[in-house]
Amino acid sequence: MTDNAQPPHMVYAYAVLRPTPEAARAVAAVRGVADEQVGLVETGDLAAAVGPVPAEEFEEDALRAGLERLPRLAALARGHHGVVAALAPLGAVLPLRLATVYRDEDRVRQILQERRDQFLPLLERLAGHVEWGVKVYTDPGDPGDQADQADHSDSADQADSGARDGAAASEAAGERALGPGRAYLAARVRRRRGAEDAWQAAARAAARIAEEAGSLAVGRVAHRPQRGELAKAAAGGEKAGGEKGGGEQPGGAHAGGAKARGENIANDAYLVPAARAEDFRSRVLAAADGQPGVRVEVTGPWAPYSFSLPPEAAVRPEPA
């Protein structure tokens, strides 16, 4: 065996926090992403919640390959979030980025020391705050009914709604009078126009919700809207990637229907004082209520994932 041989274990880091007896008791009661016992690595007035993980599964190439498989990614996210969620009730906790892995505990101590002047102000800022997630989707309704349904406008203007209903009914009748080919093309145009109207309605709703949420929050992060497999996993109740993991989830609610369809228009995170958490949830849902063609999901409260400073690189070769 050479001196630079791969060690059997590496160190997975979950969060930065204060080293307290309560923190030590909390980590002693949880297991991590590899079913390992989690512990604290301490240096002065900072600590990191960490656990030993198999090097063959968590070295750089193996970890990158695993993160490209959605089931593996979701399982890793659940384990990561489970540890962070166990620590969150202690107060200020900085969740680290998913799959933050170091060669050994000495490297973790070095990171804590090098970034002390960044971590400590963040812990002070986030104390007493939680994160809420707000996602806005278009809600196209039942695709089987779209060809016969009229467009609906805001309920505040009933006269305009009636006029549009009549126009849509007339348009559908006109399509039925066309030949099959022309009728098919006309129906496609109408469906495309309906999708565009739904997108515009969702964008307007997202702006109203952001204004209401911003009046209660002290911070906001606009994440990229979810697309593809990640959006399907989230719609099915499974969080993956750099977001909150699955497992036992905090409460979530939605307005505008429960069907998991539609395009994600907004995917925002808000930092909210813990004392105003339920007020935030109820007021955001109220702002979204009654908006046709729009579905809104509010999830939380979470540890402040979106407002924690991620550490520098996870896996990196260390000098021999």
Side-chain angles (χ1 to χ4, degrees):
M1 180 179 294
T2 62
D3 291 339
N4 58 359
Q6 177 71 43
H9 292 92
M10 303 181 80
V11 177
Y12 189 110
Y14 296 91
V16 173
L17 67 165
R18 298 281 194 175
T20 65
E22 292 79 12
R25 287 193 293 269
V27 296
V30 295
R31 304 192 75 81
V33 294
D35 196 34
E36 84 282 8
Q37 176 63 60
V38 178
L40 292 181
V41 170
E42 302 180 20
T43 175
D45 48 2
L46 285 173
V50 304
V53 292
E56 69 237 20
E57 296 178 29
F58 287 86
E59 61 86 21
E60 189 170 7
D61 291 339
L63 187 57
R64 183 181 294 112
L67 293 177
E68 293 175 354
R69 301 193 304 271
L70 189 59
R72 170 61 171 160
L73 176 62
L76 196 65
R78 283 193 297 270
H80 185 96
H81 174 64
V83 175
V84 174
L87 299 174
L90 298 175
V93 173
L94 304 182
L96 298 181
R97 181 177 294 172
L98 185 71
T100 297
V101 184
Y102 296 105
R103 285 185 65 88
D104 53 38
E105 292 188 358
D106 286 341
R107 178 58 177 156
V108 177
R109 291 186 183 91
Q110 183 181 355
I111 290 292
L112 292 175
Q113 292 165 356
E114 289 175 353
R115 305 191 67 181
R116 180 178 180 276
D117 291 342
Q118 295 172 306
F119 286 138
L120 286 177
L122 272 172
L123 285 168
E124 291 294 331
R125 180 192 179 214
L126 298 180
H129 293 77
V130 294
E131 177 175 329
W132 283 89
V134 179
K135 296 180 183 178
V136 181
Y137 299 84
T138 62
D139 188 7
D142 189 345
D145 294 339
Q146 284 182 355
D148 298 319
Q149 285 182 341
D151 293 334
H152 294 285
S153 68
D154 196 305
S155 58
D157 194 345
Q158 296 296 329
D160 183 58
S161 179
R164 293 174 66 189
D165 286 351
S170 176
E171 187 175 2
E175 289 170 9
R176 288 192 290 270
L178 297 173
R182 293 179 63 190
Y184 169 75
L185 292 175
R188 285 193 62 183
V189 169
R190 186 154 60 89
R191 284 194 293 270
R192 186 181 301 115
R193 187 167 62 243
E196 292 170 354
D197 288 346
W199 195 97
Q200 293 293 339
R204 290 192 297 270
R208 287 193 294 269
I209 290 166
E211 183 177 1
E212 182 69 22
S215 69
L216 296 168
V218 299
R220 175 192 178 198
V221 173
H223 295 294
R224 286 179 297 179
Q226 291 180 329
R227 299 286 188 268
E229 291 301 315
L230 185 60
K232 293 177 183 178
E238 188 175 78
K239 309 278 184 188
E243 292 194 31
K244 284 68 72 177
E248 294 186 8
Q249 304 266 337
H254 45 77
K259 297 177 180 178
R261 287 199 308 270
E263 181 181 357
N264 184 205
I265 301 300
N267 179 18
D268 296 340
Y270 293 91
L271 186 65
V272 181
R276 307 189 73 179
E278 286 306 315
D279 189 29
F280 176 90
R281 176 179 175 275
S282 61
R283 285 175 59 175
V284 168
L285 289 173
D289 194 31
Q291 302 297 325
V294 177
R295 180 168 57 88
V296 177
E297 293 180 352
V298 181
T299 59
W302 309 101
Y305 286 84
S306 301
F307 302 90
S308 299
L309 188 67
E312 293 179 358
V315 180
R316 58 172 67 178
E318 300 291 339

